[in-house]
Amino acid sequence: QELTFLSKQEILLAYKRFSELLPKEERENACSRRVPKSLFLTLPELRANPFQHRICHVFSTSEAGDDSMSFEDFLNMLSVFSDSATFDIKSHYAFRIFDFDNDGTLDRKDLEKLVNCLTGQGEESQLSSMEMEQLIQNILEESDIDKDGTINLSEFQHVVSRSPDFASSFKIVL
């Protein structure tokens, strides 16, 4: 409880939800088990999230690189997405989720993937290449303070600090 932004009740509920993802015979030792990413994506809280795969990737500590999650990973994720988490913590993890190539900056490719996640990949919702280019240009003009063609963490935090609904929309409630 001291290491998270969660209450005792929230941790107990998280444990219950985590262990329910495991086969019955493994539930006794849920704390020492890893849940495959495919099962995590069945949680209603993640199922509808357009960044579900990135969320699993960012919070997983799996050495196998399979994005499976331990109970500790799950608690860490819920803590970051809780109402009690600080702006700095939320914005740091949002940046990591949006940094698709994990290079520490949001470049044009990251921004294009971000927009595609938000608008959907369907024919009717996908932006034309001209619309995409204009949108990315607008994002960079607004966010890229040092004009290096990418958005770093501090530039990202500066932009989202001006968004009053960022913290309240960056949450998962069990």
Side-chain angles (χ1 to χ4, degrees), residues 106-108 111 133-151 155:
L106 303 184
D107 58 17
R108 288 178 170 276
L111 294 174
E133 183 53 40
Q134 184 60 56
L135 181 56
I136 289 173
Q137 198 53 46
N138 292 349
I139 292 169
L140 287 171
E141 281 173 23
E142 178 79 20
S143 313
D144 182 17
I145 297 165
D146 63 9
K147 303 297 178 209
D148 66 351
T150 64
I151 301 167
E155 290 168 332

Short mmCIF file of all heavy atoms in Angstrom, two decimals, residues 106-108 111 133-151 155:
data_model
loop_
_atom_site.label_atom_id
_atom_site.label_comp_id
_atom_site.label_asym_id
_atom_site.label_seq_id
_atom_site.Cartn_x
_atom_site.Cartn_y
_atom_site.Cartn_z
N LEU A 106 8.78 11.42 -29.05
CA LEU A 106 7.64 11.18 -29.93
C LEU A 106 7.98 11.83 -31.26
O LEU A 106 8.01 13.06 -31.37
CB LEU A 106 6.35 11.79 -29.35
CG LEU A 106 5.94 11.32 -27.95
CD1 LEU A 106 4.61 11.95 -27.55
CD2 LEU A 106 5.86 9.81 -27.86
N ASP A 107 8.27 10.99 -32.26
CA ASP A 107 8.58 11.51 -33.59
C ASP A 107 7.35 11.37 -34.49
O ASP A 107 6.28 10.96 -34.03
CB ASP A 107 9.82 10.82 -34.17
CG ASP A 107 9.65 9.31 -34.28
OD1 ASP A 107 8.51 8.80 -34.23
OD2 ASP A 107 10.67 8.62 -34.43
N ARG A 108 7.52 11.69 -35.75
CA ARG A 108 6.38 11.65 -36.69
C ARG A 108 5.74 10.26 -36.75
O ARG A 108 4.52 10.15 -36.81
CB ARG A 108 6.82 12.09 -38.08
CG ARG A 108 7.10 13.57 -38.17
CD ARG A 108 7.58 14.00 -39.55
NE ARG A 108 7.59 15.43 -39.64
CZ ARG A 108 6.52 16.18 -39.95
NH1 ARG A 108 5.38 15.60 -40.22
NH2 ARG A 108 6.62 17.50 -39.99
N LEU A 111 3.66 9.73 -33.64
CA LEU A 111 2.45 10.57 -33.70
C LEU A 111 1.44 9.98 -34.68
O LEU A 111 0.23 9.99 -34.41
CB LEU A 111 2.80 12.01 -34.07
CG LEU A 111 3.64 12.76 -33.03
CD1 LEU A 111 4.07 14.13 -33.56
CD2 LEU A 111 2.88 12.91 -31.71
N GLU A 133 -0.69 14.41 -42.29
CA GLU A 133 0.48 15.28 -42.31
C GLU A 133 0.17 16.63 -41.67
O GLU A 133 0.96 17.15 -40.88
CB GLU A 133 0.97 15.45 -43.76
CG GLU A 133 2.22 16.28 -43.89
CD GLU A 133 3.38 15.81 -43.02
OE1 GLU A 133 3.60 14.60 -42.88
OE2 GLU A 133 4.08 16.68 -42.44
N GLN A 134 -1.00 17.19 -41.99
CA GLN A 134 -1.40 18.48 -41.42
C GLN A 134 -1.57 18.37 -39.91
O GLN A 134 -1.13 19.24 -39.16
CB GLN A 134 -2.70 18.98 -42.08
CG GLN A 134 -3.13 20.36 -41.62
CD GLN A 134 -2.09 21.44 -41.93
OE1 GLN A 134 -1.69 21.61 -43.06
NE2 GLN A 134 -1.65 22.15 -40.91
N LEU A 135 -2.19 17.30 -39.46
CA LEU A 135 -2.41 17.10 -38.02
C LEU A 135 -1.08 16.95 -37.28
O LEU A 135 -0.86 17.58 -36.24
CB LEU A 135 -3.30 15.88 -37.78
CG LEU A 135 -3.64 15.55 -36.33
CD1 LEU A 135 -4.29 16.74 -35.63
CD2 LEU A 135 -4.56 14.35 -36.25
N ILE A 136 -0.17 16.15 -37.82
CA ILE A 136 1.14 15.96 -37.19
C ILE A 136 1.90 17.29 -37.16
O ILE A 136 2.53 17.63 -36.16
CB ILE A 136 1.94 14.85 -37.91
CG1 ILE A 136 1.30 13.49 -37.59
CG2 ILE A 136 3.41 14.86 -37.49
CD1 ILE A 136 1.88 12.32 -38.37
N GLN A 137 1.81 18.04 -38.25
CA GLN A 137 2.46 19.36 -38.30
C GLN A 137 1.90 20.26 -37.21
O GLN A 137 2.65 20.94 -36.50
CB GLN A 137 2.25 19.99 -39.70
CG GLN A 137 3.19 21.11 -40.01
CD GLN A 137 4.67 20.74 -39.81
OE1 GLN A 137 5.13 19.69 -40.25
NE2 GLN A 137 5.40 21.58 -39.13
N ASN A 138 0.58 20.27 -37.05
CA ASN A 138 -0.07 21.09 -36.00
C ASN A 138 0.37 20.66 -34.61
O ASN A 138 0.63 21.50 -33.74
CB ASN A 138 -1.60 21.00 -36.10
CG ASN A 138 -2.15 21.66 -37.35
OD1 ASN A 138 -1.43 22.37 -38.06
ND2 ASN A 138 -3.41 21.41 -37.64
N ILE A 139 0.45 19.34 -34.39
CA ILE A 139 0.88 18.82 -33.08
C ILE A 139 2.31 19.27 -32.79
O ILE A 139 2.62 19.74 -31.70
CB ILE A 139 0.78 17.27 -33.03
CG1 ILE A 139 -0.69 16.83 -33.07
CG2 ILE A 139 1.47 16.72 -31.78
CD1 ILE A 139 -0.89 15.33 -33.30
N LEU A 140 3.19 19.15 -33.78
CA LEU A 140 4.59 19.55 -33.59
C LEU A 140 4.71 21.06 -33.37
O LEU A 140 5.48 21.50 -32.52
CB LEU A 140 5.45 19.09 -34.76
CG LEU A 140 5.73 17.59 -34.80
CD1 LEU A 140 6.40 17.19 -36.11
CD2 LEU A 140 6.56 17.14 -33.61
N GLU A 141 3.94 21.86 -34.11
CA GLU A 141 3.99 23.32 -33.92
C GLU A 141 3.57 23.69 -32.51
O GLU A 141 4.13 24.60 -31.90
CB GLU A 141 3.10 24.03 -34.95
CG GLU A 141 3.74 24.14 -36.31
CD GLU A 141 2.78 24.70 -37.37
OE1 GLU A 141 1.80 25.38 -37.00
OE2 GLU A 141 3.04 24.44 -38.56
N GLU A 142 2.59 22.99 -31.99
CA GLU A 142 2.06 23.27 -30.65
C GLU A 142 2.98 22.76 -29.54
O GLU A 142 3.08 23.35 -28.48
CB GLU A 142 0.68 22.61 -30.52
CG GLU A 142 0.02 22.75 -29.18
CD GLU A 142 -0.63 24.11 -28.96
OE1 GLU A 142 -0.90 24.81 -29.94
OE2 GLU A 142 -0.85 24.45 -27.79
N SER A 143 3.66 21.63 -29.79
CA SER A 143 4.35 20.91 -28.72
C SER A 143 5.87 20.95 -28.76
O SER A 143 6.51 20.85 -27.72
CB SER A 143 3.93 19.44 -28.74
OG SER A 143 2.54 19.31 -28.85
N ASP A 144 6.44 21.04 -29.94
CA ASP A 144 7.89 20.92 -30.11
C ASP A 144 8.57 22.25 -29.83
O ASP A 144 8.89 23.02 -30.73
CB ASP A 144 8.20 20.43 -31.53
CG ASP A 144 9.68 20.21 -31.78
OD1 ASP A 144 10.45 20.13 -30.81
OD2 ASP A 144 10.06 20.13 -32.96
N ILE A 145 8.82 22.52 -28.55
CA ILE A 145 9.33 23.82 -28.12
C ILE A 145 10.73 24.09 -28.66
O ILE A 145 11.04 25.19 -29.10
CB ILE A 145 9.30 23.92 -26.57
CG1 ILE A 145 7.84 23.83 -26.09
CG2 ILE A 145 9.95 25.22 -26.10
CD1 ILE A 145 7.68 23.56 -24.62
N ASP A 146 11.61 23.07 -28.66
CA ASP A 146 12.98 23.28 -29.12
C ASP A 146 13.14 23.09 -30.64
O ASP A 146 14.24 23.18 -31.18
CB ASP A 146 13.98 22.40 -28.36
CG ASP A 146 13.74 20.91 -28.56
OD1 ASP A 146 12.91 20.52 -29.42
OD2 ASP A 146 14.38 20.12 -27.84
N LYS A 147 12.03 22.85 -31.32
CA LYS A 147 11.98 22.75 -32.79
C LYS A 147 12.97 21.74 -33.38
O LYS A 147 13.58 21.97 -34.41
CB LYS A 147 12.22 24.13 -33.44
CG LYS A 147 11.25 25.20 -33.00
CD LYS A 147 9.83 24.86 -33.41
CE LYS A 147 8.84 25.91 -32.93
NZ LYS A 147 7.51 25.36 -32.69
N ASP A 148 13.10 20.57 -32.69
CA ASP A 148 14.00 19.53 -33.21
C ASP A 148 13.24 18.45 -33.99
O ASP A 148 13.81 17.44 -34.39
CB ASP A 148 14.82 18.90 -32.08
CG ASP A 148 13.96 18.11 -31.09
OD1 ASP A 148 12.71 18.18 -31.16
OD2 ASP A 148 14.56 17.42 -30.24
N GLY A 149 11.94 18.65 -34.20
CA GLY A 149 11.14 17.71 -34.98
C GLY A 149 10.58 16.55 -34.17
O GLY A 149 9.94 15.67 -34.73
N THR A 150 10.83 16.55 -32.86
CA THR A 150 10.29 15.50 -31.98
C THR A 150 9.77 16.16 -30.71
O THR A 150 10.09 17.30 -30.40
CB THR A 150 11.35 14.45 -31.59
OG1 THR A 150 12.37 15.09 -30.82
CG2 THR A 150 11.96 13.78 -32.81
N ILE A 151 8.99 15.39 -29.95
CA ILE A 151 8.48 15.86 -28.66
C ILE A 151 9.15 15.02 -27.58
O ILE A 151 9.03 13.80 -27.58
CB ILE A 151 6.94 15.70 -28.59
CG1 ILE A 151 6.27 16.49 -29.72
CG2 ILE A 151 6.41 16.13 -27.23
CD1 ILE A 151 4.81 16.14 -29.93
N GLU A 155 8.52 18.45 -23.00
CA GLU A 155 7.60 19.14 -23.92
C GLU A 155 6.21 18.52 -23.83
O GLU A 155 5.20 19.23 -23.80
CB GLU A 155 8.13 19.05 -25.37
CG GLU A 155 9.38 19.88 -25.60
CD GLU A 155 10.07 19.58 -26.93
OE1 GLU A 155 9.96 18.43 -27.45
OE2 GLU A 155 10.74 20.49 -27.45
#
